Amino acid sequence: MHELSIVMSIIEIATKQMEGADASIIEEIELEIGALSGVEENSFEFAWNQAVKNTPLKNAIRKIHKPEGIATCLDCMIDFSIQQLYDPCPVCGGHFLNIKNGKELKVKSLVVN
Amino acid sequence: MCATCGCDGQDHVHGKRIVDVEQDILHQNNLLAERNRGYFEAKNILALNLVSSPGSGKTTLLERTLTDLKGQLDFCVIEGDQQTTNDADRIHATGTKVTQINTGKGCHLDSQMISHALQGLKPKENSIMFIENVGNLVCPAMFDLGEKERVVIISVTEGDDKPLKYPDMFFSSTLCIVNKTDLLPYVPFSIEKVKENALKINKDLHIIEVSCTNGDGLQEWYSWLKSKVLAPETV
């Protein structure tokens, strides 16, 4: 359940930014959670609903971008989409990969009032 | 007068506005981890984060290591568990400086807990600091503690497909120790398969097979430790 720690960090970041903007309500929050970031969607949802109670994020609309996993095969130098860290290169079948995309875990923006 | 809060409208703006944040969610943990890393580097301490599922033999590996290398290298240990000081007691019995962190309901150690523990522990310069994380192959993967290397331990009584089931931990580690190899005759575990699976996740992963019961492979682990300590700091 590290998702709870993740949600707590989001609340902390968002609250700080909201206060910095001299606002008292967060109407919208935009997040980026990559497909390979290690965050389980259902656990995140569960943690979110519990943790945002009594915080400025209580009624915030949540927009989540989910960048797909993209790896570069270091032998063939081609990019391809991966669902799992152990997916092989579709050309050579090798695992000599660099993860290029999908590890993102970010608060992108807020709409405050 | 302002209808929102009753102010005179001079001090602040009202109304909907967009705030660009672009901040990593684990930013706070990562910042503190970098502070810990700086502390370790300044004191030339080799900090190792030991991660595994519960029962893979992390504490036994430490007991054995601390006893066998006593007098050759300086050690201290941070033990992470949800409850009890059992592991710290076992480490203490080897004569090593140790601190226990109880995470309560928490499933992983974070960099703030380590920073706090360091203040009480005051590790020696040029020593090795073992951080035994909470037994959990999932959550600790995401939390940098400021360690130099992450060591994942798996035992042969687990499945040889574990790297595929818990890829994040194997992806973020630099060394994998396969423990309890003395039990290989009794379990359907293939060393070749586990290696193949682990390397699918992490092509650079170094793998060492050991048994803390009969001592097989421990010399290779000790050599690895010593090579990391003696490695020159400048490139």
Side-chain angles (χ1 to χ4, degrees):
Chain A
M1 264 308 271
H2 57 283
E3 282 79 5
L4 183 60
S5 306
I6 304 276
V7 173
M8 297 306 280
S9 298
I10 295 174
I11 295 173
E12 203 180 310
I13 291 168
T15 307
K16 244 186 216 159
Q17 294 281 337
M18 177 201 75
E19 286 165 359
D22 231 337
S24 55
I25 299 172
I26 300 171
E27 294 192 351
E28 242 181 79
I29 182 162
E30 195 185 359
L31 304 171
E32 196 169 55
I33 302 178
L36 305 173
S37 68
V39 173
E40 176 58 40
E41 229 175 303
N42 289 334
S43 310
F44 183 81
E45 195 65 38
F46 176 77
W48 181 274
N49 291 331
Q50 295 304 317
V52 299
K53 285 178 186 166
N54 301 319
T55 76
L57 278 166
K58 188 173 56 176
N59 296 316
I61 299 168
R62 209 180 46 189
K63 288 184 178 163
I64 305 182
H65 301 276
K66 298 173 189 162
E68 64 160 341
I70 295 177
T72 309
C73 173
L74 298 176
D75 285 325
C76 311
M77 291 318 285
I78 58 147
D79 287 355
F80 58 96
S81 125
I82 56 170
Q83 272 67 52
Q84 306 290 348
L85 289 170
Y86 49 81
D87 285 350
C89 166
V91 176
C92 70
H95 292 275
F96 199 48
L97 313 178
N98 230 4
I99 306 296
K100 203 177 167 184
N101 230 28
K103 283 263 175 201
E104 299 82 355
L105 199 53
K106 250 186 188 178
V107 178
K108 281 191 79 66
S109 71
L110 304 172
V111 175
V112 297
N113 203 336
Chain B
M1 199 172 72
C2 156
T4 311
C5 69
C7 73
D8 58 8
Q10 304 272 310
D11 298 340
H12 55 267
V13 260
H14 292 305
K16 232 184 222 194
R17 52 208 182 275
I18 295 170
V19 182
D20 261 326
V21 184
E22 292 293 341
Q23 207 179 92
D24 198 298
I25 291 169
L26 294 171
H27 181 68
Q28 201 54 38
N29 183 72
N30 294 342
L31 273 184
L32 259 173
E34 286 306 331
R35 281 184 62 168
N36 292 344
R37 191 166 282 119
Y39 174 92
F40 292 136
E41 275 176 18
K43 289 183 157 269
N44 195 31
I45 294 168
L46 172 66
L48 302 173
N49 182 2
L50 275 61
V51 292
S52 81
S53 41
S56 67
K58 290 191 293 301
T59 314
T60 306
L61 177 72
L62 283 185
E63 280 178 314
R64 189 75 204 239
T65 306
L66 298 170
T67 308
D68 288 355
L69 297 183
K70 202 173 209 170
Q72 297 181 46
L73 296 165
D74 276 322
F75 295 100
C76 60
V77 177
I78 295 177
E79 281 289 338
D81 283 296
Q82 285 197 322
Q83 302 290 343
T84 81
T85 59
N86 293 358
D87 281 2
D89 295 344
R90 286 171 61 186
I91 299 300
H92 184 70
T94 68
T96 310
K97 232 178 172 183
V98 58
T99 292
Q100 176 81 49
I101 299 176
N102 280 139
T103 58
K105 297 279 176 282
C107 50
H108 58 269
L109 295 176
D110 64 34
S111 53
Q112 190 176 6
M113 297 175 193
I114 300 305
S115 160
H116 188 72
L118 286 174
Q119 287 165 17
L121 196 57
K122 297 191 179 66
K124 269 195 205 166
E125 285 192 16
N126 308 312
S127 60
I128 296 180
M129 153 83 75
F130 288 119
I131 304 168
E132 185 182 331
N133 218 313
V134 178
N136 177 345
L137 265 184
V138 187
C139 311
M142 291 186 76
F143 295 85
D144 184 7
L145 304 179
E147 71 267 21
K148 181 98 187 235
E149 313 257 353
R150 189 173 288 182
V151 181
V152 59
I153 295 143
I154 175 175
S155 57
V156 305
T157 50
E158 304 167 49
D160 47 27
D161 57 350
K162 215 149 216 189
L164 301 182
K165 287 173 161 172
Y166 300 95
D168 292 303
M169 199 60 99
F170 288 83
F171 182 79
S172 61
S173 296
T174 43
L175 173 68
C176 172
I177 292 183
V178 183
N179 192 16
K180 307 188 190 177
T181 52
D182 54 298
L183 297 179
L184 274 173
Y186 313 105
V187 289
F189 180 97
S190 156
I191 287 274
E192 289 321 306
K193 242 185 218 155
V194 80
K195 281 184 176 174
E196 190 188 313
N197 288 335
L199 293 174
K200 273 184 192 172
I201 306 288
N202 182 348
K203 61 190 185 302
D204 301 316
L205 193 66
H206 186 71
I207 300 171
I208 299 177
E209 302 157 32
V210 307
S211 160
C212 293
T213 306
N214 65 20
D216 280 354
L218 285 174
Q219 285 314 320
E220 196 185 341
W221 156 239
Y222 298 156
S223 304
W224 183 89
L225 274 177
K226 287 175 185 168
S227 75
K228 294 292 169 183
V229 174
L230 298 175
E233 288 295 293
T234 48
V235 180

